Amino acid sequence: MLLFSITVAFSWKLVLTTQYTWLDEGDNINQVAPWLQVQAAQWHTGHFPLWDPHQQAGVPLVGQVQPGTLNPLNWILFSMPLDNGFIQFVSLNWYWVLIQFLAVLFGYMLCRDLRLSPMASVLAGCAFGLGGFMGSIHWPQKMMSALLLPLILMFFLRVLRSENTVANAAASGALLGASFLGGHHNVPLFFGLLMVGLWIYYFLASRSAPARKLVAAAAFAGCFVLIAAAQIIPAQELGKLSLRWVNAPSPVTWNETVPYSVHNQFSLHPLAILDIVIPGSQRPAFIGLVAVTLALLGAAAKWQERTVRLLSAVALAGLLFALGGRSLFHGVLYAVIPTLDKARSPDVAIAIFHLGVVVLAAYGLDSLRSSEVSPQSLRIAIRVLSLAGLFLYASLIVLVNLRPPTTDAYTFLAEAALVALFLAGILLAWSKSRLSSRTASLLVIFLLLFELNQVTNYAQQPIQKAGELHRLDDIASFLKERRDLPRVDVDDKEISFDFGDWYGVDELRGSLAAALKPFADTQADAHFPMLLAANYFIGRNPKRPEQISAFEGKSGLRVFIDPSAFPRARIVHA
């Protein structure tokens, strides 16, 4: 209840007011909300949403991965009451907060399982669930894909400690498989590679009998395959039939390798390592000065413990992989591991780095509470934080006079300076026994939340933007009353979101990242809308002279009937 209360208070914009939404702009409003809507609509009619009839003449939902059709947490959202047939914004906001809460809870559970104190575990849970990758990635399907990482690692560490080895190995594998159901493949794939490395370490370091090691590994692999296959196999089958747009000069087929230049585009830039402590251009890298300082203190104080060394290796591996094209590490794996090229965003491996850092931060807080941090390490931390804060403030005085602020960069620098000085003050007072361990720990947690707030809640936008989704209600109502099986083509300069999925009206195209190859090969043809029976067009002006205006909505957009469209027909392979 405490963790839930902290999460709700931290996410006050979304659930304690009705003014804000995470449906800010871009993909969330254009793709994600329509994906969730089409599935919720089918769920309420008693159908499990395997098929989307409203885009590209029909596409499978499961094979697209990102709609998260097989994710049981999404089923809770789909079951929520609809408002005139539409998924409610209040439900979407609570859905977002539920994801954050579970991440906080799972981070807390991992630390408690490592016998860290409740106070330190709360700090780590909040850092993982409310900050870092989970707090700033701002796509629910990507958040879902990283949600189970603490539990996967928790059960594996039990295996490493020889606690009920086979059962815990099976649980770790099952949860890794479940992470593939979350809605995105990148983080689970990268974490799967990490787990391979951890299992190699287990075989080399564990003194258990070889047969027991093999049984445990088989239980892990078997449970992983049985669960992940539900998502991986449909994704592969659809991928083999499709063209995919990957930011390369041209779309690629399944048999074509995603160029490494694309991976370079989505790699963490070395300069962005500063974004780990000061928000910048790559905000998903941010975890904050509080977490990083405590992690360094924890690693120094507890380095003799194997778990701490292992967590440090996990964090380092995640950071090196996130650098992508800027690190030899990623390039070698890209070259030798089949299908790794399909995961074109190495920067999201920063989630693995954050997982290691937040648990080390919990070790750091407990080490401070038990006075295991050496006085020299503590003095160094206080001095570095103080100098960093003063340097940032001095730099800001110069920068503001040389170049007036045009973005929020100066605000982020000022807040980082403030956090550095506050943290230095807390550590100094703690070291001088001016604060009790309990009071100092609470202040550190409050400071962590204060620091994370500047990034996690920064992007929440006024709910009016999401209201754009309902500006075409009258046009959709007109089309649904028609009896000639409407399929609409839209002016994508006027309608950026997936009109068909949101309103339950068949749409010619839609904004999918991939398309069936016959569809993609044909869509440039002038006769393409006619062949696929696109008998309506939505725009301000007709697309072709023969189109006839039939309805004008409040938005100023009009519906045009296209008399050249062929009657609707079932398309077969031969």
Side-chain angles (χ1 to χ4, degrees):
M1 289 304 297
L2 172 65
L3 296 175
F4 182 73
S5 299
I6 291 172
T7 305
V8 170
F10 187 81
S11 304
W12 65 272
K13 279 186 172 182
L14 297 180
V15 292
L16 299 183
T17 76
T18 57
Q19 300 175 39
Y20 293 91
T21 177
W22 56 269
L23 290 170
D24 44 4
E25 54 194 347
D27 288 346
N28 279 340
I29 200 166
N30 293 337
Q31 284 184 311
V32 176
W35 271 332
L36 298 174
Q37 166 63 26
V38 72
Q39 293 176 91
Q42 292 191 37
W43 195 270
H44 278 265
T45 62
H47 295 287
F48 190 86
L50 294 172
W51 184 259
D52 182 353
H54 302 309
Q55 288 194 352
Q56 300 186 2
V59 288
L61 282 162
V62 176
Q64 295 178 60
V65 182
Q66 292 199 58
T69 307
L70 299 180
N71 183 359
L73 291 176
N74 284 349
W75 302 347
I76 299 173
L77 174 66
F78 302 156
S79 301
M80 292 295 102
L82 302 180
D83 181 13
N84 292 321
F86 290 101
I87 200 165
Q88 298 187 64
F89 292 140
V90 65
S91 298
L92 289 169
N93 282 352
W94 276 107
Y95 164 73
W96 185 274
V97 173
L98 174 63
I99 299 172
Q100 289 184 318
F101 164 65
L102 290 176
V104 171
L105 177 64
F106 296 158
Y108 173 86
M109 290 170 63
L110 168 60
C111 292
R112 292 295 289 142
D113 198 66
L114 292 172
R115 296 170 177 78
L116 294 166
S117 70
M119 191 80 77
S121 301
V122 168
L123 178 132
C126 290
F128 180 74
L130 303 178
F133 181 86
M134 293 295 297
S136 56
I137 194 64
H138 292 299
W139 279 288
Q141 68 271 36
K142 291 187 178 182
M143 293 167 67
M144 286 284 196
S145 72
L147 182 61
L148 297 173
L149 299 191
L151 297 186
I152 299 167
L153 185 61
M154 180 184 80
F155 285 108
F156 174 79
L157 291 176
R158 289 183 182 179
V159 173
L160 206 56
R161 299 193 299 265
S162 300
E163 298 176 9
N164 203 2
T165 307
V166 175
N168 283 314
S172 181
L175 288 165
L176 180 60
S179 69
F180 278 83
L181 311 182
H184 209 280
H185 61 289
N186 281 353
V187 173
L189 181 56
F190 301 155
F191 202 75
L193 292 177
L194 174 70
M195 292 305 299
V196 171
L198 291 177
W199 274 100
I200 292 172
Y201 171 77
Y202 169 72
F203 271 87
L204 295 175
S206 175
R207 297 179 180 178
S208 300
R212 190 166 185 80
K213 293 180 187 177
L214 289 171
V215 171
F220 174 89
C223 289
F224 162 70
V225 168
L226 287 171
I227 293 179
Q231 180 61 79
I232 292 174
I233 291 174
Q236 287 183 333
E237 290 300 311
L238 183 61
K240 291 172 183 176
L241 300 171
S242 302
L243 282 177
R244 183 182 174 203
W245 283 262
V246 293
N247 289 74
S250 58
V252 297
T253 64
W254 180 262
N255 294 326
E256 293 176 310
T257 301
V258 176
Y260 199 66
S261 59
V262 175
H263 291 253
N264 272 329
Q265 293 178 42
F266 295 101
S267 296
L268 186 71
H269 195 279
L271 283 175
I273 289 179
L274 289 174
D275 293 348
I276 292 170
V277 291
I278 302 175
S281 59
Q282 292 187 296
R283 286 180 196 153
F286 178 76
I287 191 65
L289 272 169
V290 174
V292 170
T293 302
L294 292 176
L296 292 173
L297 292 173
K302 296 284 191 178
W303 189 252
Q304 72 278 7
E305 293 190 18
R306 180 176 65 171
T307 302
V308 169
R309 296 195 299 273
L310 195 65
L311 288 166
S312 300
V314 166
L316 180 61
L319 181 59
L320 288 175
F321 196 97
L323 289 170
R326 283 91 185 182
S327 83
L328 176 67
F329 182 60
H330 174 269
V332 172
L333 294 176
Y334 167 89
V336 300
I337 297 179
T339 72
L340 184 59
D341 66 289
K342 310 304 181 201
R344 63 192 174 109
S345 300
D347 57 347
V348 301
I350 201 70
I352 300 171
F353 169 75
H354 290 156
L355 177 62
V357 166
V358 300
V359 183
L360 289 173
Y363 274 100
L365 186 61
D366 269 355
S367 298
L368 287 167
R369 288 161 59 87
S370 59
S371 301
E372 292 180 81
V373 175
S374 68
Q376 184 181 6
S377 297
L378 194 53
R379 282 196 299 271
I380 292 172
I382 292 169
R383 288 172 183 172
V384 170
L385 288 168
S386 301
L387 290 173
L390 294 173
F391 173 76
L392 287 174
Y393 272 130
S395 300
L396 281 169
I397 293 171
V398 176
L399 288 170
V400 168
N401 289 305
L402 290 177
R403 182 183 296 175
T406 56
T407 66
D408 292 315
Y410 292 175
T411 302
F412 290 142
L413 285 173
E415 288 181 332
L418 184 62
V419 168
L421 294 176
F422 272 149
L423 183 57
I426 293 170
L427 294 179
L428 180 62
W430 199 348
S431 67
K432 300 291 185 182
S433 300
R434 302 292 177 82
L435 293 173
S436 67
S437 288
R438 183 180 181 83
T439 301
S441 298
L442 286 171
L443 288 174
V444 168
I445 293 173
F446 286 137
L447 185 60
L448 172 84
L449 295 173
F450 172 82
E451 184 180 26
L452 297 180
N453 172 71
Q454 63 182 309
V455 170
T456 303
N457 292 327
Y458 175 79
Q460 311 300 355
Q461 298 292 323
I463 204 165
Q464 286 85 350
K465 285 194 173 183
E468 290 291 304
L469 287 168
H470 285 291
R471 70 187 178 97
L472 303 179
D473 285 2
D474 51 353
I475 288 178
S477 297
F478 168 77
L479 290 168
K480 287 182 176 183
E481 292 172 357
R482 306 293 292 180
R483 294 290 178 264
D484 51 354
L485 298 176
R487 175 174 287 147
V488 300
D489 192 8
V490 304
D491 184 344
D492 54 15
K493 294 179 181 177
E494 296 285 350
I495 305 175
S496 57
F497 66 94
D498 285 338
F499 175 89
D501 275 356
W502 181 253
Y503 283 111
V505 175
D506 292 354
E507 184 180 355
L508 181 62
R509 290 181 175 87
S511 56
L512 300 180
L516 291 173
K517 194 172 184 304
F519 188 96
D521 289 343
T522 315
Q523 64 179 345
D525 191 286
H527 299 294
F528 176 73
M530 176 179 70
L531 290 170
L532 267 82
N535 46 359
Y536 291 90
F537 173 74
I538 303 175
R540 294 194 182 276
N541 299 299
K543 194 172 185 178
R544 288 188 298 276
E546 64 270 19
Q547 292 176 342
I548 304 166
S549 178
F551 181 82
E552 182 171 353
K554 296 177 181 177
S555 62
L557 298 182
R558 292 186 290 171
V559 180
F560 298 91
I561 296 175
D562 193 335
S564 67
F566 285 1
R568 184 77 70 92
R570 184 175 298 277
I571 299 173
V572 296
H573 288 289

